[in-house]
Amino acid sequence: MTDDQPDTAGDLAIREPPRVLVPIEVLEGQTIPQSLVAFLAPAELILLGYHVIPEQTPTEQASMQFEDRVRAAVDDIAASFAEAHSDVEERVAFTHDREQTLDRVADEIDATAVLLPNPTGEIDDILVPLRDVVDVDRLADLVSTLVDGEDKRVTLWDLTGDENTALLDQSEQTLRDRGLADEQIRTESDDVEFPTRAIVDRSDDFDVIVMGEGEQTLLTTVLGDTSERIADGAVAPVLVVRRERSEDGDDEDS
């Protein structure tokens, strides 16, 4: 290695593992497939067992009524992660607003990504849709941690329609810099008019979707965040990579 070449191996050695928030609505019977447990095991995981309660129900009352059941269910799920050799931090929440609670906990733990669970089988093919807004470094850190050294394939899918976009090239190169082999990375580009619908339509061709969070706009406020709408319609689980926040909680690039 020459003096002007980056010490990629050294960078990888000191990089902190990404933190993934795994929210589970345990009293509704929501679980995590064992294949997804194994896939997530290399990351640092925070398991959040939550229960959405009616607006008129005080959280203290819900805690007294349901906490033992919720904690027992969270313990059972955490045990499955332990079997996959992954340490898990456990949390419990009773909430009137699921999205607000997920955002708050994700901020508290400085989560790299949040899992939006869906059923899945063996995980071999990962779809990474690329839009204008994405934190490439954080996305690559997560994908390379979960995929590096495994017989898994990553499809980088540019939704803007330009095969030579800087975003697609940067994402591909960053994954290589993080240690993925050329044969593990595939690139595609399409001119997509309705990205959410297109991602949902392709979700049954992949085992996991990894995507960057979008910008909060009036439309997403009314209709719901893009990643949430994709998770609701998709066949596969969705990992939403969050933009890095500043110390005051705002987005770094806002």
Side-chain angles (χ1 to χ4, degrees), residues 22-243:
V22 181
I24 307 294
E25 196 168 7
V26 288
L27 296 188
E28 298 300 320
Q30 194 174 49
T31 60
I32 300 292
Q34 198 59 37
S35 57
L36 187 55
V37 169
F39 179 69
L40 295 173
E44 184 177 346
L45 304 175
I46 294 83
L47 180 62
L48 174 65
Y50 71 93
H51 180 54
V52 179
I53 58 178
E55 191 65 38
Q56 66 273 18
T57 303
T59 55
E60 296 83 359
Q61 177 183 333
S63 178
M64 292 177 60
Q65 184 176 357
F66 298 113
E67 184 166 6
D68 288 346
R69 289 173 55 196
V70 170
R71 288 197 179 277
V74 170
D75 287 344
D76 287 343
I77 297 173
S80 69
F81 281 99
E83 292 175 2
H85 309 290
S86 176
D87 293 330
V88 180
E89 177 184 333
E90 299 178 36
R91 293 194 177 205
V92 168
F94 298 93
T95 179
H96 301 112
D97 188 322
R98 171 184 177 272
E99 286 72 25
Q100 186 179 75
T101 296
L102 297 193
D103 285 342
R104 174 180 58 78
V105 176
D107 284 341
E108 288 176 359
I109 67 174
D110 191 22
T112 305
V114 177
L115 174 70
L116 303 177
N118 274 322
T120 190
E122 291 302 313
I123 297 176
D124 297 309
D125 292 296
I126 296 92
L127 177 65
V128 181
L130 298 174
R131 301 168 294 167
D132 292 335
V133 181
V134 61
D135 189 324
V136 172
D137 286 331
R138 286 167 72 86
L139 187 148
D141 285 345
L142 178 65
V143 171
S144 60
T145 297
L146 302 180
V147 174
D148 188 25
E150 300 287 344
D151 185 21
K152 293 178 172 59
R153 297 168 295 278
V154 178
T155 298
L156 297 172
W157 185 23
D158 170 36
L159 304 177
T160 66
D162 184 348
E163 294 182 357
N164 297 312
T165 59
L167 179 60
L168 185 63
D169 291 344
Q170 180 188 5
S171 301
E172 182 179 7
Q173 185 58 53
T174 306
L175 284 179
R176 288 198 179 103
D177 292 343
R178 297 293 195 271
L180 266 69
D182 290 350
E183 57 269 21
Q184 289 181 279
I185 307 171
R186 177 183 177 185
T187 60
E188 298 181 11
S189 182
D190 290 299
D191 187 4
V192 176
E193 184 176 4
F194 302 107
T196 299
R197 182 186 305 169
I199 296 169
V200 168
D201 287 346
R202 293 199 67 185
S203 65
D204 60 352
D205 296 327
F206 294 87
D207 306 310
V208 171
I209 298 170
V210 182
M211 58 184 292
E213 67 177 348
E215 290 182 318
Q216 187 69 19
T217 65
L218 178 60
L219 183 63
T220 58
T221 301
V222 174
L223 298 179
D225 183 76
T226 299
S227 54
E228 290 279 358
R229 286 184 282 142
I230 289 172
D232 287 342
V235 176
V238 178
L239 278 163
V240 182
V241 179
R242 307 171 76 236
R243 294 186 299 278

